Amino acid sequence: WTGLADHNHAAAGAPPPEPEALRRRGHALLTGQPEALSGLEVRGADLENSPRPAIILKPQPAWQAYRQMLGHYAVTTLLAWRIGHEEASLEDLSAAFAGERCRRWESLGGQLVPGDEADALRADIRTGRLGSWDAVHARLDALAERYPLDRARHAWAVLAEWLGVEPIDPPAWAEAIDQAIAIQRHRAEQIARTRAKDFENPFRTMVYRNQAEMHAVLGSPADDPFLQQVARETDAWIAQARTWRDRP
């Protein structure tokens, strides 16, 4: 979308390049200086059932935030896997998780399944190989048991792409942990900032005579149980991540 916006801005009316060329063009813009996107109207396609244009107001911050989500997901998932498989080294994981990243997943009643496994399930039902509900549920149970492995394999591929390295060696793993810790801290700070707005909203504060009265009823941001829980979970997550940062 960003590449197309830049193309339209520079050469209005000209046929756009191939999608891969647009992606490279957009990637260069999104990873560059914010000024490079000045004046671009980035439009999203097929975002709503309406003829009106859907405009991405902050494409670069949105792209960066989504990258952070990917990195945090990958590191969190692989940390959980390594904690459950303490004997496995990064070299072991690289061998076990080698291969193409699964890019198509399907939700079967809330159960996430790789797309090819969902296709195989439907095919086996059609051919009669799975001829009863018990057989179908047994297959789903087997897929559910394998899901942590599928998810870890997916997270490994996402992390390799996120870091731009293959295989993931100890220095790359340490870098990923450091970045994920920074993201976790930022996440906790943003949660606290959002909750603090509740105590600053004039439509919420107007029903109290003063701040002391409001705190007597609602408490203060520092005493908020949810924020305290977030702080505890953040500290625990960071401590755990640091423990595994230098594990080969």
Side-chain angles (χ1 to χ4, degrees):
W1 294 343
T2 302
L4 181 61
D6 187 54
H7 165 79
N8 292 336
H9 181 73
E18 293 296 316
E20 186 56 38
L22 288 177
R23 277 193 287 270
R24 289 195 299 269
R25 189 168 181 167
H27 184 271
L29 287 166
L30 292 167
T31 56
Q33 295 300 317
E35 297 78 21
L37 281 82
S38 178
L40 293 186
E41 185 179 89
V42 179
R43 296 190 176 193
D46 302 321
L47 291 179
E48 61 181 14
N49 185 22
S50 170
R52 67 181 180 179
I55 299 174
I56 311 301
L57 295 179
K58 299 179 181 179
Q60 192 176 57
W63 185 85
Q64 292 171 344
Y66 186 63
R67 268 198 103 252
Q68 290 181 342
M69 290 169 60
L70 289 175
H72 190 270
Y73 149 76
V75 170
T76 299
T77 300
L78 291 171
L79 273 177
W81 179 266
R82 295 200 73 183
I83 291 169
H85 302 79
E86 294 192 11
E87 73 288 350
S89 66
L90 288 174
E91 188 176 352
D92 294 333
L93 297 187
S94 183
F97 296 158
E100 291 293 320
R101 170 161 61 97
C102 177
R103 295 179 180 271
R104 182 170 65 91
W105 295 76
E106 293 193 24
S107 174
L108 304 181
Q111 179 178 339
L112 283 179
V113 173
D116 58 348
E117 293 290 352
D119 294 341
L121 172 64
R122 285 188 287 264
D124 288 343
I125 292 173
R126 282 195 299 268
T127 61
R129 184 177 180 185
L130 298 178
S132 68
W133 279 113
D134 287 343
V136 172
H137 286 303
R139 173 71 65 82
L140 290 173
D141 288 343
L143 291 172
E145 289 180 9
R146 211 187 74 181
Y147 174 69
L149 174 61
D150 290 335
R151 189 169 184 252
R153 181 177 287 116
H154 179 266
W156 180 268
V158 168
L159 187 62
E161 186 172 335
W162 191 67
L163 292 170
V165 299
E166 182 60 45
I168 299 172
D169 56 14
W173 173 254
E175 178 190 347
I177 293 290
D178 289 341
Q179 291 194 48
I181 287 174
I183 293 168
Q184 181 73 14
R185 285 203 180 103
H186 176 71
R187 175 175 172 269
E189 290 168 0
Q190 292 303 307
I191 292 173
R193 183 176 298 177
T194 300
R195 183 55 65 95
K197 290 179 181 178
D198 292 339
F199 293 85
E200 300 165 359
N201 187 312
F203 292 97
R204 184 163 186 174
T205 60
M206 66 187 297
V207 299
Y208 303 100
R209 290 180 299 171
N210 50 52
Q211 191 175 69
E213 185 177 84
M214 182 179 70
H215 285 175
V217 176
L218 300 178
S220 68
D223 298 328
D224 188 288
F226 176 70
L227 293 182
Q228 291 175 352
Q229 177 184 345
V230 169
R232 288 193 301 269
E233 291 175 352
T234 296
D235 290 343
W237 191 94
I238 290 175
Q240 189 178 72
R242 283 175 173 162
T243 299
W244 285 86
R245 180 187 183 280
D246 299 316
R247 293 281 189 99

